[in-house]
Amino acid sequence: MVKIRLARRGRKKLAMYDVVVADARAPRDGRFIEKIGTYNPLTNPATIDIKDDRAFHWVMNGAQPSDTVKAMLSYRGILMKKHLQIGVIKGALTQEQADAKLAAWVDGKDAKILAKRETLAETKQAAAKARREAETKVKEARAEAIRQKAKVAEEAAVAAAAPAPAESEAAPAESAEPQA
């Protein structure tokens, strides 16, 4: 049996996958018939690059996708295309109707994906702006604390410098009285 499945590559904790068509008896990362795409689950949303025409060809010829690949093919509309093509073969609808339904579905799906990407980008920008504002507040608080500390130190220095001459003047006066 021919299967469409994932073959792992990449280093530890940074996995990427190739979407391959392989014999069911072949090892996971072993020999395959054809590489039809890649899958990167580390991005948000996950990056799925599949040659749609080749995946459709293999699905129509009986290749069985694994559960994960089946979800990806569904996400990309390949299983929808298969469903519509079977309807065309049975005579339930024409090829033009099937193409129109698929195009409408793909447009809706692309709009959802674009909206999600924009929402994530806006959220990321808002979080960065909030971090910058928090850093600015902390920086201003530190600068104010330094100013207060410098002001207190300056007042202490002025206070220490001013009474010293008064004490030195008073001391000779006291010493002068007992001698007189």
Side-chain angles (χ1 to χ4, degrees), residues 37-56:
T38 59
Y39 168 60
N40 184 359
L42 300 176
T43 60
N44 191 3
T47 306
I48 301 170
D49 294 320
I50 296 178
K51 298 175 190 170
D52 294 338
D53 58 336
R54 294 306 298 163
F56 178 71

Side-chain angles (χ1 to χ4, degrees), residues 15-136:
M16 282 192 63
Y17 297 90
D18 291 329
V19 181
V20 297
V21 178
D23 188 326
R25 297 170 290 186
R28 178 191 74 179
D29 298 333
R31 191 170 172 191
F32 58 87
I33 299 169
E34 182 180 1
K35 176 183 169 186
I36 61 172
T38 59
Y39 168 60
N40 184 359
L42 300 176
T43 60
N44 191 3
T47 306
I48 301 170
D49 294 320
I50 296 178
K51 298 175 190 170
D52 294 338
D53 58 336
R54 294 306 298 163
F56 178 71
H57 166 78
W58 283 105
V59 168
M60 288 301 290
N61 284 333
Q64 295 297 313
S66 67
D67 293 338
T68 305
V69 173
K70 188 173 187 177
M72 290 189 313
L73 295 178
S74 177
Y75 179 81
R76 292 292 303 256
I78 295 168
L79 294 182
M80 175 74 147
K81 186 175 179 180
K82 176 188 175 193
H83 174 73
L84 292 172
Q85 190 62 36
I86 290 173
V88 169
I89 291 169
K90 290 183 177 180
L93 63 155
T94 65
Q95 187 66 45
E96 292 79 24
Q97 291 172 333
D99 292 341
K101 284 184 178 183
L102 182 65
W105 185 88
V106 168
D107 290 341
K109 188 69 169 182
D110 288 343
K112 282 184 190 177
I113 293 169
L114 185 61
K116 182 176 182 181
R117 285 184 181 153
E118 289 174 355
T119 303
L120 289 171
E122 290 171 2
T123 305
K124 189 175 181 180
Q125 288 176 347
K129 185 177 180 182
R131 281 193 310 271
R132 281 193 302 271
E133 290 174 358
E135 284 180 21
T136 304

